Amino acid sequence: DIQMTQSPSTLSASVGDRVTITCRASQSISVWLAWYQQKPGKAPKLLIYQASRLENGVPSRFSGSGSGTEFTLTISSLQPDDFATYYCQQYNTFPSTFGPGTKVDVK
Amino acid sequence: QVQLVQSATEVKKPGASVTVSCKASGYNFTSYGVSWVRQAPGQGLEWMGWISAYNGNIKYAQNLQGRVTMTTDTSTSTAYMELRSLRSDDTAVYYCARNQGMDVWGQGTTVTVSS
């Protein structure tokens, strides 16, 4: 199975900060990576698919990059609504696998 | 609008089975697959499996093989996930989602396993 890791596990930031989360795959997954945002008690929400494609309706302050084994999610200017947990997921190969998550909280 | 609506909360005893349903609307059900994901309390997301609503092709997580069955009913645009021989560590919120890159999610179904 492909293992996904994320760093950091927790990130403390302020409104307006530029935030970057890294996701690494244990082997190449090409661009078959998605990013999700999850708030407590809610279902995850797709932000980015195919590593860099912004899902319809997602604010343009979110962006994704990378290919192969290393990927990043960037929030260009953190907004109050962005405090949440973020997960990456590879869907290149079955079984699909998620990263352990990165919690973005208030500094 | 495109949505997935899941069945209600379940409370089960160890050893029992549970079936969670996921009714799709607003899109052509057979043009997409359905993924199932669960999340234990305070934990991350765990991929359980995927089924093609087009041809019934299925992939299950290795750790659930033999206990889980995923099916679809194209006449009602509904996907089902049955989990058998429930244990306490199956207590979780169970989600269905459209596609492998999951663009639409159900609201989640809480399954509690307790004696």
Side-chain angles (χ1 to χ4, degrees):
Chain A
D1 297 2
I2 296 175
Q3 308 303 316
M4 307 299 293
T5 59
Q6 288 182 235
S7 60
S9 54
T10 304
L11 190 160
S12 296
S14 301
V15 172
D17 285 354
R18 181 181 182 87
V19 166
T20 299
I21 299 169
T22 299
C23 176
R24 291 185 174 88
S26 61
Q27 63 191 76
S28 178
I29 58 170
S30 184
V31 294
W32 300 109
L33 183 105
W35 288 98
Y36 302 90
Q37 177 193 69
Q38 188 180 33
K39 296 180 180 179
K42 299 294 186 182
K45 173 187 175 183
L46 178 66
L47 301 174
I48 302 285
Y49 65 99
Q50 283 184 37
S52 61
R53 295 180 182 272
L54 191 68
E55 174 68 354
N56 287 341
V58 174
S60 58
R61 63 181 180 273
F62 291 93
S63 64
S65 64
S67 65
T69 62
E70 187 152 338
F71 302 85
T72 59
L73 173 70
T74 300
I75 309 172
S76 60
S77 177
L78 194 69
Q79 297 302 300
D81 191 47
D82 301 338
F83 292 102
T85 300
Y86 294 84
Y87 295 94
C88 61
Q89 175 223 0
Q90 71 81 16
Y91 55 105
N92 179 72
T93 306
F94 288 117
S96 179
T97 41
F98 288 92
T102 295
K103 184 177 182 180
V104 177
D105 63 17
V106 178
K107 187 173 185 179
Chain B
Q1 73 280 24
V2 175
Q3 62 178 351
L4 298 172
V5 178
Q6 297 184 221
S7 48
T9 296
E10 300 266 13
V11 179
K12 297 291 183 180
K13 294 193 182 303
S17 298
V18 69
T19 298
V20 178
S21 66
C22 171
K23 184 170 177 60
S25 61
Y27 71 95
N28 184 350
F29 182 67
T30 57
S31 294
Y32 297 83
V34 176
S35 297
W36 289 90
V37 173
R38 68 179 179 179
Q39 187 169 38
Q43 302 302 307
L45 301 171
E46 179 188 6
W47 183 84
M48 299 179 66
W50 172 86
I51 181 168
S52 166
Y54 172 68
N55 60 12
N57 191 22
I58 298 174
K59 298 290 184 182
Y60 295 138
Q62 182 71 27
N63 65 324
L64 296 174
Q65 285 273 5
R67 289 205 301 137
V68 68
T69 301
M70 295 174 187
T71 57
T72 60
D73 181 345
T74 56
S75 69
T76 61
S77 299
T78 303
Y80 298 91
M81 187 284 299
E82 180 192 26
L83 189 59
R84 301 177 294 278
S85 302
L86 289 168
R87 310 185 293 241
S88 58
D89 62 356
D90 292 317
T91 293
V93 178
Y94 289 75
Y95 294 103
C96 62
R98 187 176 77 165
N99 262 344
Q100 294 180 55
M102 304 171 196
D103 60 345
V104 181
W105 291 68
Q107 82 276 20
T109 297
T110 299
V111 176
T112 301
V113 182
S114 174
S115 55

PDB file of all heavy atoms in Angstrom, chain B residues 60-83:
ATOM      1  N   TYR B  60     -11.926  -3.370  -2.110  1.00  0.00           N
ATOM      2  CA  TYR B  60     -12.086  -3.240  -0.664  1.00  0.00           C
ATOM      3  C   TYR B  60     -10.738  -3.032   0.001  1.00  0.00           C
ATOM      4  O   TYR B  60      -9.702  -3.520  -0.478  1.00  0.00           O
ATOM      5  CB  TYR B  60     -12.712  -4.496  -0.064  1.00  0.00           C
ATOM      6  CG  TYR B  60     -14.134  -4.796  -0.485  1.00  0.00           C
ATOM      7  CD1 TYR B  60     -14.515  -6.102  -0.795  1.00  0.00           C
ATOM      8  CD2 TYR B  60     -15.101  -3.798  -0.531  1.00  0.00           C
ATOM      9  CE1 TYR B  60     -15.822  -6.399  -1.155  1.00  0.00           C
ATOM     10  CE2 TYR B  60     -16.407  -4.086  -0.901  1.00  0.00           C
ATOM     11  CZ  TYR B  60     -16.751  -5.396  -1.216  1.00  0.00           C
ATOM     12  OH  TYR B  60     -18.056  -5.680  -1.574  1.00  0.00           O
ATOM     13  N   ALA B  61     -10.756  -2.346   1.138  1.00  0.00           N
ATOM     14  CA  ALA B  61      -9.560  -2.276   1.970  1.00  0.00           C
ATOM     15  C   ALA B  61      -9.245  -3.667   2.505  1.00  0.00           C
ATOM     16  O   ALA B  61     -10.146  -4.411   2.914  1.00  0.00           O
ATOM     17  CB  ALA B  61      -9.771  -1.308   3.119  1.00  0.00           C
ATOM     18  N   GLN B  62      -7.970  -3.985   2.512  1.00  0.00           N
ATOM     19  CA  GLN B  62      -7.534  -5.330   2.917  1.00  0.00           C
ATOM     20  C   GLN B  62      -8.010  -5.675   4.328  1.00  0.00           C
ATOM     21  O   GLN B  62      -8.431  -6.816   4.585  1.00  0.00           O
ATOM     22  CB  GLN B  62      -6.007  -5.411   2.835  1.00  0.00           C
ATOM     23  CG  GLN B  62      -5.425  -6.770   3.193  1.00  0.00           C
ATOM     24  CD  GLN B  62      -5.711  -7.822   2.152  1.00  0.00           C
ATOM     25  OE1 GLN B  62      -5.900  -7.523   0.978  1.00  0.00           O
ATOM     26  NE2 GLN B  62      -5.767  -9.068   2.578  1.00  0.00           N
ATOM     27  N   ASN B  63      -7.974  -4.712   5.237  1.00  0.00           N
ATOM     28  CA  ASN B  63      -8.309  -4.996   6.633  1.00  0.00           C
ATOM     29  C   ASN B  63      -9.798  -5.245   6.853  1.00  0.00           C
ATOM     30  O   ASN B  63     -10.201  -5.651   7.943  1.00  0.00           O
ATOM     31  CB  ASN B  63      -7.828  -3.863   7.552  1.00  0.00           C
ATOM     32  CG  ASN B  63      -8.541  -2.560   7.300  1.00  0.00           C
ATOM     33  OD1 ASN B  63      -8.866  -2.235   6.162  1.00  0.00           O
ATOM     34  ND2 ASN B  63      -8.785  -1.791   8.345  1.00  0.00           N
ATOM     35  N   LEU B  64     -10.630  -4.980   5.827  1.00  0.00           N
ATOM     36  CA  LEU B  64     -12.074  -5.209   5.940  1.00  0.00           C
ATOM     37  C   LEU B  64     -12.548  -6.381   5.081  1.00  0.00           C
ATOM     38  O   LEU B  64     -13.726  -6.777   5.170  1.00  0.00           O
ATOM     39  CB  LEU B  64     -12.842  -3.953   5.537  1.00  0.00           C
ATOM     40  CG  LEU B  64     -12.633  -2.736   6.428  1.00  0.00           C
ATOM     41  CD1 LEU B  64     -13.329  -1.521   5.827  1.00  0.00           C
ATOM     42  CD2 LEU B  64     -13.135  -2.988   7.848  1.00  0.00           C
ATOM     43  N   GLN B  65     -11.642  -6.926   4.268  1.00  0.00           N
ATOM     44  CA  GLN B  65     -12.010  -8.054   3.403  1.00  0.00           C
ATOM     45  C   GLN B  65     -12.659  -9.158   4.223  1.00  0.00           C
ATOM     46  O   GLN B  65     -12.171  -9.530   5.288  1.00  0.00           O
ATOM     47  CB  GLN B  65     -10.762  -8.613   2.717  1.00  0.00           C
ATOM     48  CG  GLN B  65     -10.239  -7.766   1.589  1.00  0.00           C
ATOM     49  CD  GLN B  65     -10.880  -8.082   0.241  1.00  0.00           C
ATOM     50  OE1 GLN B  65     -11.803  -8.889   0.164  1.00  0.00           O
ATOM     51  NE2 GLN B  65     -10.397  -7.445  -0.810  1.00  0.00           N
ATOM     52  N   GLY B  66     -13.771  -9.672   3.717  1.00  0.00           N
ATOM     53  CA  GLY B  66     -14.488 -10.737   4.394  1.00  0.00           C
ATOM     54  C   GLY B  66     -15.566 -10.245   5.348  1.00  0.00           C
ATOM     55  O   GLY B  66     -16.448 -11.014   5.741  1.00  0.00           O
ATOM     56  N   ARG B  67     -15.520  -8.977   5.743  1.00  0.00           N
ATOM     57  CA  ARG B  67     -16.536  -8.416   6.644  1.00  0.00           C
ATOM     58  C   ARG B  67     -17.404  -7.355   5.970  1.00  0.00           C
ATOM     59  O   ARG B  67     -18.459  -7.004   6.486  1.00  0.00           O
ATOM     60  CB  ARG B  67     -15.892  -7.780   7.880  1.00  0.00           C
ATOM     61  CG  ARG B  67     -15.292  -8.744   8.868  1.00  0.00           C
ATOM     62  CD  ARG B  67     -15.253  -8.124  10.265  1.00  0.00           C
ATOM     63  NE  ARG B  67     -14.479  -6.900  10.334  1.00  0.00           N
ATOM     64  CZ  ARG B  67     -14.886  -5.823  11.012  1.00  0.00           C
ATOM     65  NH1 ARG B  67     -16.045  -5.796  11.632  1.00  0.00           N
ATOM     66  NH2 ARG B  67     -14.104  -4.740  11.065  1.00  0.00           N
ATOM     67  N   VAL B  68     -16.958  -6.846   4.836  1.00  0.00           N
ATOM     68  CA  VAL B  68     -17.660  -5.738   4.197  1.00  0.00           C
ATOM     69  C   VAL B  68     -18.171  -6.157   2.824  1.00  0.00           C
ATOM     70  O   VAL B  68     -17.517  -6.935   2.115  1.00  0.00           O
ATOM     71  CB  VAL B  68     -16.743  -4.504   4.067  1.00  0.00           C
ATOM     72  CG1 VAL B  68     -15.603  -4.749   3.083  1.00  0.00           C
ATOM     73  CG2 VAL B  68     -17.527  -3.257   3.692  1.00  0.00           C
ATOM     74  N   THR B  69     -19.355  -5.649   2.470  1.00  0.00           N
ATOM     75  CA  THR B  69     -19.905  -5.827   1.136  1.00  0.00           C
ATOM     76  C   THR B  69     -20.492  -4.501   0.675  1.00  0.00           C
ATOM     77  O   THR B  69     -21.281  -3.886   1.400  1.00  0.00           O
ATOM     78  CB  THR B  69     -20.997  -6.906   1.123  1.00  0.00           C
ATOM     79  OG1 THR B  69     -20.451  -8.155   1.569  1.00  0.00           O
ATOM     80  CG2 THR B  69     -21.553  -7.088  -0.285  1.00  0.00           C
ATOM     81  N   MET B  70     -20.087  -4.077  -0.498  1.00  0.00           N
ATOM     82  CA  MET B  70     -20.628  -2.849  -1.093  1.00  0.00           C
ATOM     83  C   MET B  70     -21.427  -3.224  -2.332  1.00  0.00           C
ATOM     84  O   MET B  70     -20.975  -4.051  -3.131  1.00  0.00           O
ATOM     85  CB  MET B  70     -19.489  -1.894  -1.465  1.00  0.00           C
ATOM     86  CG  MET B  70     -18.743  -1.403  -0.254  1.00  0.00           C
ATOM     87  SD  MET B  70     -17.292  -0.416  -0.656  1.00  0.00           S
ATOM     88  CE  MET B  70     -16.582  -0.225   1.005  1.00  0.00           C
ATOM     89  N   THR B  71     -22.588  -2.613  -2.471  1.00  0.00           N
ATOM     90  CA  THR B  71     -23.454  -2.878  -3.608  1.00  0.00           C
ATOM     91  C   THR B  71     -24.091  -1.568  -4.081  1.00  0.00           C
ATOM     92  O   THR B  71     -24.027  -0.547  -3.384  1.00  0.00           O
ATOM     93  CB  THR B  71     -24.586  -3.854  -3.235  1.00  0.00           C
ATOM     94  OG1 THR B  71     -25.333  -3.308  -2.133  1.00  0.00           O
ATOM     95  CG2 THR B  71     -24.048  -5.222  -2.839  1.00  0.00           C
ATOM     96  N   THR B  72     -24.673  -1.635  -5.262  1.00  0.00           N
ATOM     97  CA  THR B  72     -25.459  -0.510  -5.754  1.00  0.00           C
ATOM     98  C   THR B  72     -26.783  -1.014  -6.320  1.00  0.00           C
ATOM     99  O   THR B  72     -26.869  -2.159  -6.787  1.00  0.00           O
ATOM    100  CB  THR B  72     -24.721   0.273  -6.851  1.00  0.00           C
ATOM    101  OG1 THR B  72     -24.442  -0.613  -7.953  1.00  0.00           O
ATOM    102  CG2 THR B  72     -23.439   0.889  -6.339  1.00  0.00           C
ATOM    103  N   ASP B  73     -27.786  -0.158  -6.262  1.00  0.00           N
ATOM    104  CA  ASP B  73     -29.082  -0.419  -6.894  1.00  0.00           C
ATOM    105  C   ASP B  73     -29.310   0.726  -7.875  1.00  0.00           C
ATOM    106  O   ASP B  73     -29.655   1.835  -7.472  1.00  0.00           O
ATOM    107  CB  ASP B  73     -30.179  -0.477  -5.831  1.00  0.00           C
ATOM    108  CG  ASP B  73     -31.553  -0.775  -6.422  1.00  0.00           C
ATOM    109  OD1 ASP B  73     -31.726  -0.658  -7.660  1.00  0.00           O
ATOM    110  OD2 ASP B  73     -32.459  -1.120  -5.649  1.00  0.00           O
ATOM    111  N   THR B  74     -29.078   0.448  -9.149  1.00  0.00           N
ATOM    112  CA  THR B  74     -29.170   1.533 -10.134  1.00  0.00           C
ATOM    113  C   THR B  74     -30.622   1.984 -10.341  1.00  0.00           C
ATOM    114  O   THR B  74     -30.844   3.108 -10.774  1.00  0.00           O
ATOM    115  CB  THR B  74     -28.560   1.098 -11.481  1.00  0.00           C
ATOM    116  OG1 THR B  74     -29.206  -0.086 -11.928  1.00  0.00           O
ATOM    117  CG2 THR B  74     -27.069   0.829 -11.320  1.00  0.00           C
ATOM    118  N   SER B  75     -31.587   1.136 -10.008  1.00  0.00           N
ATOM    119  CA  SER B  75     -32.993   1.525 -10.189  1.00  0.00           C
ATOM    120  C   SER B  75     -33.399   2.630  -9.214  1.00  0.00           C
ATOM    121  O   SER B  75     -34.334   3.388  -9.487  1.00  0.00           O
ATOM    122  CB  SER B  75     -33.915   0.320 -10.027  1.00  0.00           C
ATOM    123  OG  SER B  75     -33.944  -0.133  -8.688  1.00  0.00           O
ATOM    124  N   THR B  76     -32.705   2.715  -8.081  1.00  0.00           N
ATOM    125  CA  THR B  76     -33.014   3.732  -7.079  1.00  0.00           C
ATOM    126  C   THR B  76     -31.832   4.682  -6.844  1.00  0.00           C
ATOM    127  O   THR B  76     -31.899   5.524  -5.954  1.00  0.00           O
ATOM    128  CB  THR B  76     -33.401   3.095  -5.742  1.00  0.00           C
ATOM    129  OG1 THR B  76     -32.294   2.313  -5.269  1.00  0.00           O
ATOM    130  CG2 THR B  76     -34.641   2.216  -5.875  1.00  0.00           C
ATOM    131  N   SER B  77     -30.764   4.523  -7.623  1.00  0.00           N
ATOM    132  CA  SER B  77     -29.568   5.369  -7.480  1.00  0.00           C
ATOM    133  C   SER B  77     -29.051   5.353  -6.037  1.00  0.00           C
ATOM    134  O   SER B  77     -28.727   6.402  -5.451  1.00  0.00           O
ATOM    135  CB  SER B  77     -29.850   6.811  -7.925  1.00  0.00           C
ATOM    136  OG  SER B  77     -30.217   6.857  -9.276  1.00  0.00           O
ATOM    137  N   THR B  78     -28.990   4.171  -5.485  1.00  0.00           N
ATOM    138  CA  THR B  78     -28.579   4.033  -4.082  1.00  0.00           C
ATOM    139  C   THR B  78     -27.415   3.050  -3.971  1.00  0.00           C
ATOM    140  O   THR B  78     -27.418   1.995  -4.599  1.00  0.00           O
ATOM    141  CB  THR B  78     -29.754   3.538  -3.218  1.00  0.00           C
ATOM    142  OG1 THR B  78     -30.854   4.446  -3.356  1.00  0.00           O
ATOM    143  CG2 THR B  78     -29.353   3.461  -1.744  1.00  0.00           C
ATOM    144  N   ALA B  79     -26.445   3.432  -3.163  1.00  0.00           N
ATOM    145  CA  ALA B  79     -25.331   2.554  -2.824  1.00  0.00           C
ATOM    146  C   ALA B  79     -25.501   2.075  -1.386  1.00  0.00           C
ATOM    147  O   ALA B  79     -26.080   2.776  -0.550  1.00  0.00           O
ATOM    148  CB  ALA B  79     -23.998   3.296  -2.972  1.00  0.00           C
ATOM    149  N   TYR B  80     -25.010   0.878  -1.133  1.00  0.00           N
ATOM    150  CA  TYR B  80     -25.127   0.272   0.195  1.00  0.00           C
ATOM    151  C   TYR B  80     -23.766  -0.248   0.639  1.00  0.00           C
ATOM    152  O   TYR B  80     -22.973  -0.746  -0.167  1.00  0.00           O
ATOM    153  CB  TYR B  80     -26.112  -0.898   0.179  1.00  0.00           C
ATOM    154  CG  TYR B  80     -27.520  -0.520  -0.187  1.00  0.00           C
ATOM    155  CD1 TYR B  80     -27.943  -0.563  -1.509  1.00  0.00           C
ATOM    156  CD2 TYR B  80     -28.426  -0.115   0.791  1.00  0.00           C
ATOM    157  CE1 TYR B  80     -29.238  -0.206  -1.860  1.00  0.00           C
ATOM    158  CE2 TYR B  80     -29.732   0.231   0.452  1.00  0.00           C
ATOM    159  CZ  TYR B  80     -30.117   0.189  -0.873  1.00  0.00           C
ATOM    160  OH  TYR B  80     -31.407   0.532  -1.217  1.00  0.00           O
ATOM    161  N   MET B  81     -23.542  -0.153   1.955  1.00  0.00           N
ATOM    162  CA  MET B  81     -22.340  -0.723   2.562  1.00  0.00           C
ATOM    163  C   MET B  81     -22.781  -1.536   3.770  1.00  0.00           C
ATOM    164  O   MET B  81     -23.365  -0.995   4.701  1.00  0.00           O
ATOM    165  CB  MET B  81     -21.376   0.396   2.974  1.00  0.00           C
ATOM    166  CG  MET B  81     -20.003  -0.043   3.474  1.00  0.00           C
ATOM    167  SD  MET B  81     -19.998  -0.698   5.144  1.00  0.00           S
ATOM    168  CE  MET B  81     -20.581   0.742   6.051  1.00  0.00           C
ATOM    169  N   GLU B  82     -22.512  -2.840   3.715  1.00  0.00           N
ATOM    170  CA  GLU B  82     -22.826  -3.719   4.844  1.00  0.00           C
ATOM    171  C   GLU B  82     -21.533  -4.117   5.531  1.00  0.00           C
ATOM    172  O   GLU B  82     -20.568  -4.547   4.877  1.00  0.00           O
ATOM    173  CB  GLU B  82     -23.547  -4.984   4.379  1.00  0.00           C
ATOM    174  CG  GLU B  82     -23.880  -5.932   5.534  1.00  0.00           C
ATOM    175  CD  GLU B  82     -24.333  -7.316   5.059  1.00  0.00           C
ATOM    176  OE1 GLU B  82     -23.937  -7.724   3.940  1.00  0.00           O
ATOM    177  OE2 GLU B  82     -25.051  -7.988   5.821  1.00  0.00           O
ATOM    178  N   LEU B  83     -21.494  -3.966   6.844  1.00  0.00           N
ATOM    179  CA  LEU B  83     -20.346  -4.389   7.640  1.00  0.00           C
ATOM    180  C   LEU B  83     -20.830  -5.399   8.673  1.00  0.00           C
ATOM    181  O   LEU B  83     -21.777  -5.125   9.420  1.00  0.00           O
ATOM    182  CB  LEU B  83     -19.685  -3.191   8.321  1.00  0.00           C
ATOM    183  CG  LEU B  83     -18.343  -3.439   9.009  1.00  0.00           C
ATOM    184  CD1 LEU B  83     -17.299  -3.954   8.022  1.00  0.00           C
ATOM    185  CD2 LEU B  83     -17.846  -2.168   9.697  1.00  0.00           C
TER     186      LEU B  83
END
